[in-house]
Amino acid sequence: MRISGFSSGLDIDSMVKELMQAKRAPLDKLNQQKQLLDWKREAYREQSTKMVSFINDKLSSLKSTFSMQAKKAEITGDTGAVSVSASNSASNLPIDVTVTSVGTAAGTEIKFAGKTRDSLMSDVLGTTDSTTIVINGKDVVISDPANTSIQSFVTQINKQAGSEVNATFDSATGKLVITSKIVGASSDIQISDNLLSKGEVKNITQSDPEFSINGVSSTELIANGAVKIDPNNSNVITYDGMQIILKGTGTVNIQTKPDTDKLVDAVKSFISDYNTLISAMNSAVNEERYRDYAPLTDDQKAEMSEDDIKLWTEKAQSGMLKRDDIISSVVSGMRTALTSKVSTAEGDFSIFSLGISTGKWNEGGKLVIEDEDQLRQMIELNADQVISFFSGVGTSVTSEDKKKGIQYNEDTGIFNRLSNLLNDGLNRLAERAGTSRISSDLNSSFLASSTMGMESRDLENRIKDMKNKLTRLETNYYKQFTAMETAINKYNAQSGSLSSFLS
C-alpha cells in the first residue's frame, strides 16, 4: 500500500514520477527502436505486395495474351460454315476449308401419341409407383409419376443425366428426343426398356463430319495426323495451330495474322503497369529520411495536438527504405532487363526496335511509346519475334549461374525476366522482413523466422525486461518514501506525547 505525504507535506506521486522520468529514457529508446522496425517492415510489405500483384495480376495476364491470343483468324466466304480461333503457333499461310456435312450425335426419339408437356408420367408409364429410368448409366428417378409432368421429367433428365445427354420434348408431335452430348460416330444412347416400351421409338443415326482442307479430304488429314478431332465433339478440329468448329456446309478461306490491336493494347497496358510499379519503388528508395523526427513517446503525444502528432509522425515514418539495397537492386535489375537485347529465333531484338524508350533521365527508367506506328509495323512484320521478345521462356539458368547472381539468359523474354527478378527480390524481402512471397494483401502476417522478425522479438523481450525493472524501481521508491513518512509520523507522535507530558 502506498502512503501519500500527509506527514511530510510532500507530493510523493509527483516526486516519484519525476524520478522515474529520467529512468524511463532507455525504455523510450527501445520503444522507438521497435516502432522504427515495425514501420520499416510495413514499408517492405507495401513494396512486396506491389511486386506480387504485378507478377500475379499483370504479368500473368500479359503472358497469356502474348502466348495464346496474339494472332487472329479472318474468315471469308460462307462465314457461317465455321468459326476459328488461332493460337500463336498458327502459320500465316491461308487455307481453304470446305464442309460437306457436319457431325451429328446419336439419339433416340420416343413418340407418346396424344401427349403434351403437361401430361403426367403416370399416364405414360401406366403406373403411379416410383420408377427409375436408366439413361446412359445415369439413374433418373420419378418418385411420384402421378404428380410429375412430362416436362418435369425432361428437366430431371437434363439435371440427373445432363453430363451424358440432352433431352427435349415437342408438344406438337408428342416426341421426346434424347441425344448424346458426344458428337460423332463414337456417340451412343442407351435407355432402359421401361421407358422405350411406352412409345414409338426411332433411332437417330450418329455420324462424323466430312470436310476438306486445301483439297485434302478429312479422312486423309486425320490419318496422317494433320488434323486432330476433339473426342467429345467431332465438329471441333485442330489444324495448324487453329481450332476450327464446323457449324454448317460451305467453303471458307481462313487467313491468320497478328492481332495487332490486341498486342498494341497489351504493350500499352504493360508499360502503364510497369511504370506504376517502378515509380512506387523509386519513390520508396528516394524518399527523404528525417532522422531528427523520432517516434513520439506517450508523454510527448500528451502535450501535442492531433494535427501536430500527425505531421510529426509523417516525418518520422518517411524514408524508411531510403537507398534500400534490396529495392534498389530490383529496380536496377528491371531497368537493365528491359534495355538489354533479347535473343530470338529471328535474331536479336530490343525494346528500342518497337519505338519505345526509357524516357527522360530523371524519370527513373519509366517506359514511353515514342512511335506507335513503328510499334504496329514491327508487330505486323515480325509478330513471332515480338512475341518471343516479350513472352519467350528462354533456356533455364543453372544453379551455378544463380550463385553468381544471373537471373536469366539472353533468350529469356521481358516478362519472364521481370518475373525472375521480382521473385528473387520477394525471396530476399521474405528473409529479411518476413513479408509474403505470394500475397498481395497489405494485412498479411509477417514470417517470424525472418531477420527483422527475430530483431522484433529481441526488442520485445528487452522492453518487457525494462518495464519489469522500472516497476521494481518505482515500487522501491514508494517503499523508501513510505518508510520516510512512517518515520516522520512516528516522530510527530512522540513529539506530541512529549509536549503533552511537559505541559
Side-chain angles (χ1 to χ4, degrees), residues 210-487:
E210 292 184 10
F211 59 91
S212 64
I213 298 178
N214 290 340
V216 182
S217 70
S218 53
T219 303
E220 185 176 346
L221 290 168
I222 295 170
N224 63 28
V227 165
K228 296 188 182 303
I229 302 291
D230 187 314
N232 293 319
N233 189 343
S234 60
N235 286 324
V236 179
I237 66 174
T238 302
Y239 174 81
D240 189 29
M242 293 178 287
Q243 185 186 75
I244 304 173
I245 300 177
L246 310 178
K247 300 167 69 176
T249 59
T251 299
V252 298
N253 177 267
I254 302 173
Q255 172 74 64
T256 58
K257 57 178 59 178
D259 193 338
T260 305
D261 289 338
K262 180 174 285 187
L263 290 179
V264 168
D265 288 343
V267 172
K268 289 180 178 178
S269 176
F270 163 67
I271 289 175
S272 175
D273 293 330
Y274 171 81
N275 286 347
T276 299
L277 175 65
I278 203 167
S279 177
M281 298 174 80
N282 278 325
S283 295
V285 296
N286 294 320
E287 186 180 31
E288 190 64 36
R289 178 81 184 98
Y290 298 94
R291 298 188 181 279
D292 292 337
Y293 288 79
L296 294 169
T297 65
D298 291 338
D299 289 340
Q300 289 171 329
K301 289 180 180 179
E303 299 174 357
M304 298 171 67
S305 68
E306 289 187 8
D307 289 341
D308 288 339
I309 292 173
K310 180 181 178 182
L311 291 172
W312 183 285
T313 302
E314 287 176 355
K315 292 279 190 181
Q317 279 185 285
S318 68
M320 286 292 105
L321 301 181
K322 177 76 170 179
R323 298 190 183 91
D324 182 75
D325 59 323
I326 295 178
I327 305 300
S328 295
S329 67
V330 173
V331 170
S332 176
M334 290 197 299
R335 295 180 64 175
T336 300
L338 277 164
T339 55
S340 300
K341 66 180 181 180
V342 176
S343 297
T344 71
E346 296 80 12
D348 291 344
F349 205 73
S350 77
I351 200 164
F352 306 110
S353 306
L354 296 170
I356 300 172
S357 75
T358 53
K360 298 178 181 179
W361 67 271
N362 60 346
E363 291 183 314
K366 285 187 176 182
L367 299 177
V368 178
I369 298 178
E370 292 191 332
D371 191 341
E372 185 173 327
D373 290 337
Q374 182 180 346
L375 172 61
R376 288 182 173 277
Q377 185 178 39
M378 291 301 294
I379 291 173
E380 291 171 0
L381 297 178
N382 306 281
D384 291 338
Q385 192 172 21
V386 174
I387 292 168
S388 296
F389 172 77
F390 280 106
S391 62
V393 176
T395 53
S396 300
V397 177
T398 65
S399 57
E400 290 300 318
D401 286 338
K402 288 183 179 179
K403 291 178 182 178
K404 298 175 184 177
I406 299 173
Q407 300 297 325
Y408 54 83
N409 288 315
E410 284 192 350
D411 58 349
T412 303
I414 294 298
F415 297 154
N416 287 298
R417 289 183 178 190
L418 295 179
S419 290
N420 292 346
L421 289 165
L422 290 169
N423 278 314
D424 179 66
L426 288 170
N427 287 332
R428 293 168 64 190
L429 289 178
E431 291 172 2
R432 176 180 293 181
T435 53
S436 173
R437 296 175 173 87
I438 59 174
S439 175
S440 57
D441 182 4
L442 275 171
N443 296 312
S444 59
S445 58
F446 292 107
L447 300 173
S449 59
S450 64
T451 301
M452 294 177 74
M454 291 186 286
E455 289 178 13
S456 180
R457 285 200 305 277
D458 178 62
L459 283 171
E460 287 172 356
N461 290 332
R462 291 169 63 188
I463 289 170
K464 182 179 179 181
D465 291 343
M466 180 61 70
K467 284 182 176 179
N468 290 336
K469 179 180 177 181
L470 292 173
T471 298
R472 290 194 298 270
L473 181 60
E474 184 180 47
T475 300
N476 190 50
Y477 279 142
Y478 273 109
K479 284 182 178 179
Q480 291 175 3
F481 278 111
T482 299
M484 181 191 73
E485 287 290 321
T486 301

Side-chain angles (χ1 to χ4, degrees), residues 7 58 90 119 154 181 202 315 342 453 464:
S7 299
K58 311 303 182 185
S119 298
V154 169
K181 283 199 169 180
K202 178 182 177 182
K315 292 279 190 181
V342 176
K464 182 179 179 181

